[in-house]
Amino acid sequence: MPLAAVAAAFTLAQLLLVRPGMGLGWDETVYVSQVSPHAPAAFFSAPRARGVPLLVAPVAAWSSSTALLRGYLALLSGLSLYLALRVWRTLLPASVLALAGALFASLWVTLFYGPQAMPNYWVAIGALVCAGCFLRARTGRRDRAALYGLLGGAALMAWMRPMDAVWAVLPLLALAVLRGHWRPLAALLAGLVAGSAEWVIEAYMSYGGLLRRLSDASAIQGRLGPHFAVLDQLRSLGGRTLCRPCAGAVPDPLITAWWFVLPALAVLGLVLARRSGAAAPARVAAACAATAAAPYLFLIGYAAPRFLLPAYALLALPAAHALVHLVRPPGGAWRPLAACLVALGLATHLSVQYVVLSRTVERTTAAHRDWDRTAAALHRLGVRPPCLLTGDNALPIAFYTGCDSAATGGHNANSTRAAIEETARRRPVAALVAPHGAPPDYARAWPVHRFGDLLLYVAPPAHKGAVG
């Protein structure tokens, strides 16, 4: 019952605090466009996987309603959190699991991304399921549900982000080999293979092979290698959904405090767990959290708070163990002073998370509305499907307009100047240019219209068809 209450509260908080009509973000338009009849499929760059398009297909394949999609994902994310925590019910007390779920679900980044068409929350759920099912499967030889859960959790992660899946289960793979847990190892490997199979096959069909796709994915992420992104992650905690390049000051200590408190509580939880006989669950959760976080702290040169969602979900377990035992140790009486301090800390935490979430939702909603208004302006200028957009923010605005998008350079390069010029002779094409930017050579003679912060260069055939 406590776990169900936490999951229900998480779902309700998403529906109330993350506006269902917030509009789709840049990455969301890429994923949703793969299955939506509203717009042509956007260019799918090397690092992306097909898990999110399949996840949203039951709604996005027949409806263009963002509110409906948000509601569907909020319900699904609440249900998945409940199921992931249930996996641990024989390993940790219900009070610890409920508090762990509440700690994870109350983070602004969890609430913000739970109802979005993005992969990171689902990697976090898969990591929780895998760690819990591995612990159950290695001790209970008759626990077939744990083996199936291990397979399913690994497949879910690999389905969403194959490389993240590998990082998250590295400790489990090592333990399975060192301790001879062959059945859990087989289930884990089967899940990774099943979940990543499509990504690998697609690599050979569309990206020039697996090594080429991995290389391209690394290039898009700034070439994976030694980087110290800890400060970048800190800078993103104030509500920056993508910190690239990551400049500026670190947010107020009140905003970043939880980022230091969570791992500190997890370490305390590890110490206390040894005394209460729950050492293995705490150690496994902490180890998986560490490897899941490692590439995003030390191997890439930018940050996004969503990258660390799997680590936060796993660290919440030993952290909750510490808080529960501080308030009431096993077999002991309640500690009123400790309970008051913990309650005050949690209340402060919730207040800060709400403020950051509210600001982030407001800012994001405004940005998405700008894209929608730009799409409406393009429609008035005659740029209607079938059409093509190129230039500044062309990819997400193309989704809102119902157009294809094209880029001749950068991470989303999928066309050439000649191809765009040829398209402009057959259907509406527009080049979007930032105020201080310069249009492409082929668009310099096109009629130009200023709209908001953009200059809209519209190819003459489309301009002649303008209405109003």
Side-chain angles (χ1 to χ4, degrees), residues 387-417:
C387 48
L388 178 72
L389 299 186
T390 186
D392 192 62
N393 281 322
L395 195 151
I397 294 174
F399 178 84
Y400 283 76
T401 314
C403 299
D404 273 312
S405 62
T408 59
H411 299 323
N412 296 302
N414 64 340
S415 189
T416 63
R417 169 178 174 166

Coordinates of all heavy atoms in Angstrom, one line a residue, residues 387-417:
C387 N 6.4 20.1 -47.1 CA 7.3 21.3 -47.1 C 8.6 20.9 -46.5 O 8.8 19.8 -46.0 CB 6.6 22.4 -46.4 SG 5.9 22.0 -44.7
L388 N 9.5 21.8 -46.5 CA 10.9 21.5 -46.0 C 11.4 22.8 -45.2 O 11.3 23.9 -45.7 CB 11.8 21.2 -47.1 CG 13.3 20.9 -46.7 CD1 13.4 19.6 -45.9 CD2 14.2 20.9 -47.9
L389 N 12.0 22.6 -44.0 CA 12.6 23.7 -43.3 C 14.1 23.4 -43.1 O 14.4 22.2 -42.9 CB 11.9 23.8 -41.9 CG 10.4 24.2 -41.9 CD1 10.0 24.5 -40.4 CD2 10.1 25.4 -42.8
T390 N 14.9 24.4 -43.1 CA 16.3 24.3 -42.8 C 16.7 25.5 -42.0 O 16.0 26.5 -41.9 CB 17.1 24.2 -44.1 OG1 18.5 23.9 -43.7 CG2 17.0 25.4 -44.9
G391 N 17.8 25.4 -41.3 CA 18.3 26.5 -40.5 C 18.1 26.4 -39.0 O 18.0 25.3 -38.5
D392 N 18.1 27.5 -38.3 CA 18.1 27.6 -36.9 C 16.8 27.0 -36.3 O 15.7 27.4 -36.6 CB 18.1 29.1 -36.5 CG 18.4 29.3 -35.0 OD1 19.5 28.8 -34.5 OD2 17.6 29.8 -34.3
N393 N 17.0 26.0 -35.4 CA 15.8 25.3 -34.8 C 14.9 24.7 -35.8 O 13.7 24.5 -35.5 CB 15.1 26.2 -33.9 CG 15.8 26.5 -32.5 OD1 16.3 25.5 -32.0 ND2 15.7 27.7 -32.0
A394 N 15.4 24.4 -37.0 CA 14.5 23.9 -38.0 C 13.9 22.5 -37.7 O 12.7 22.2 -38.0 CB 15.3 23.7 -39.3
L395 N 14.7 21.7 -36.9 CA 14.2 20.3 -36.7 C 12.9 20.3 -35.8 O 11.9 19.7 -36.2 CB 15.3 19.5 -36.0 CG 15.1 18.0 -36.0 CD1 16.4 17.3 -36.0 CD2 14.3 17.6 -34.8
P396 N 12.9 21.0 -34.6 CA 11.6 21.0 -33.9 C 10.5 21.8 -34.5 O 9.3 21.4 -34.5 CB 12.0 21.6 -32.5 CG 13.2 22.4 -32.8 CD 14.0 21.6 -33.9
I397 N 10.9 22.9 -35.1 CA 9.8 23.8 -35.8 C 9.2 23.0 -36.9 O 8.0 23.2 -37.2 CB 10.4 25.1 -36.2 CG1 10.8 25.9 -34.9 CG2 9.4 25.9 -37.0 CD1 11.5 27.2 -35.2
A398 N 10.0 22.2 -37.6 CA 9.5 21.4 -38.7 C 8.4 20.5 -38.2 O 7.4 20.3 -38.9 CB 10.6 20.6 -39.4
F399 N 8.6 19.9 -37.1 CA 7.6 19.0 -36.5 C 6.3 19.8 -36.3 O 5.2 19.3 -36.6 CB 8.1 18.3 -35.2 CG 7.0 17.4 -34.6 CD1 6.9 16.1 -35.0 CD2 6.2 17.9 -33.6 CE1 6.0 15.3 -34.4 CE2 5.2 17.1 -33.0 CZ 5.1 15.8 -33.4
Y400 N 6.4 20.9 -35.7 CA 5.2 21.7 -35.4 C 4.5 22.2 -36.7 O 3.3 22.4 -36.7 CB 5.6 23.0 -34.6 CG 5.8 22.7 -33.1 CD1 7.0 22.1 -32.6 CD2 4.8 23.0 -32.1 CE1 7.2 21.8 -31.3 CE2 5.0 22.8 -30.8 CZ 6.2 22.1 -30.4 OH 6.4 21.9 -29.0
T401 N 5.3 22.4 -37.7 CA 4.8 22.9 -39.0 C 4.2 21.7 -39.9 O 3.4 21.9 -40.8 CB 5.9 23.6 -39.8 OG1 6.5 24.5 -38.9 CG2 5.3 24.4 -41.0
G402 N 4.7 20.5 -39.6 CA 4.3 19.4 -40.4 C 5.2 19.2 -41.6 O 4.9 18.5 -42.6
C403 N 6.5 19.7 -41.5 CA 7.4 19.7 -42.6 C 8.5 18.7 -42.3 O 8.8 18.2 -41.2 CB 8.1 21.0 -42.8 SG 6.9 22.4 -43.2
D404 N 9.3 18.4 -43.4 CA 10.6 17.7 -43.3 C 11.6 18.8 -42.8 O 11.3 20.0 -42.9 CB 11.0 17.2 -44.6 CG 10.5 15.8 -44.9 OD1 10.6 14.9 -44.0 OD2 10.0 15.6 -46.0
S405 N 12.7 18.3 -42.2 CA 13.8 19.2 -41.9 C 15.0 18.7 -42.6 O 15.2 17.5 -42.8 CB 14.0 19.3 -40.4 OG 14.4 18.0 -39.9
A406 N 15.9 19.7 -42.9 CA 17.2 19.4 -43.6 C 18.3 20.2 -43.0 O 18.1 21.3 -42.6 CB 17.0 19.7 -45.1
A407 N 19.5 19.6 -42.9 CA 20.7 20.2 -42.5 C 21.8 19.8 -43.3 O 21.9 18.6 -43.7 CB 20.9 19.9 -41.0
T408 N 22.7 20.7 -43.7 CA 23.8 20.4 -44.6 C 25.1 20.2 -43.7 O 26.2 19.9 -44.3 CB 24.1 21.4 -45.6 OG1 24.3 22.7 -45.0 CG2 22.9 21.5 -46.6
G409 N 25.0 20.5 -42.4 CA 26.2 20.3 -41.6 C 25.7 20.1 -40.1 O 24.5 20.2 -39.8
G410 N 26.7 19.8 -39.3 CA 26.4 19.6 -37.8 C 25.9 18.1 -37.6 O 26.0 17.3 -38.4
H411 N 25.4 17.9 -36.3 CA 25.1 16.6 -35.9 C 23.9 16.0 -36.7 O 23.8 14.8 -36.7 CB 24.8 16.6 -34.4 CG 25.9 17.1 -33.5 ND1 27.2 16.8 -33.8 CD2 25.9 17.8 -32.4 CE1 28.0 17.3 -32.9 NE2 27.3 18.0 -32.1
N412 N 23.1 16.8 -37.2 CA 21.9 16.3 -37.9 C 21.9 16.5 -39.4 O 20.9 16.5 -40.1 CB 20.6 17.1 -37.3 CG 20.4 16.8 -35.9 OD1 20.2 15.6 -35.5 ND2 20.4 17.8 -35.1
A413 N 23.2 16.5 -39.9 CA 23.3 16.7 -41.4 C 22.7 15.5 -42.1 O 23.0 14.3 -41.9 CB 24.8 16.8 -41.7
N414 N 21.8 15.8 -43.0 CA 21.1 14.8 -43.8 C 20.8 15.2 -45.2 O 20.0 14.5 -45.9 CB 19.8 14.4 -43.0 CG 18.8 15.6 -43.0 OD1 19.2 16.7 -43.2 ND2 17.5 15.3 -42.8
S415 N 21.4 16.3 -45.6 CA 21.1 16.7 -47.0 C 22.2 17.5 -47.6 O 23.3 17.7 -46.9 CB 19.8 17.6 -47.0 OG 19.3 17.9 -48.3
T416 N 22.0 18.1 -48.8 CA 23.0 18.9 -49.4 C 22.4 20.1 -50.0 O 21.1 20.2 -50.1 CB 23.7 18.1 -50.6 OG1 22.6 17.9 -51.6 CG2 24.3 16.8 -50.2
R417 N 23.2 21.1 -50.3 CA 22.7 22.4 -50.9 C 21.9 22.1 -52.1 O 20.8 22.6 -52.4 CB 23.8 23.3 -51.1 CG 23.4 24.5 -52.0 CD 24.5 25.5 -52.2 NE 24.1 26.6 -53.1 CZ 24.8 27.7 -53.3 NH1 25.9 27.9 -52.7 NH2 24.3 28.6 -54.2

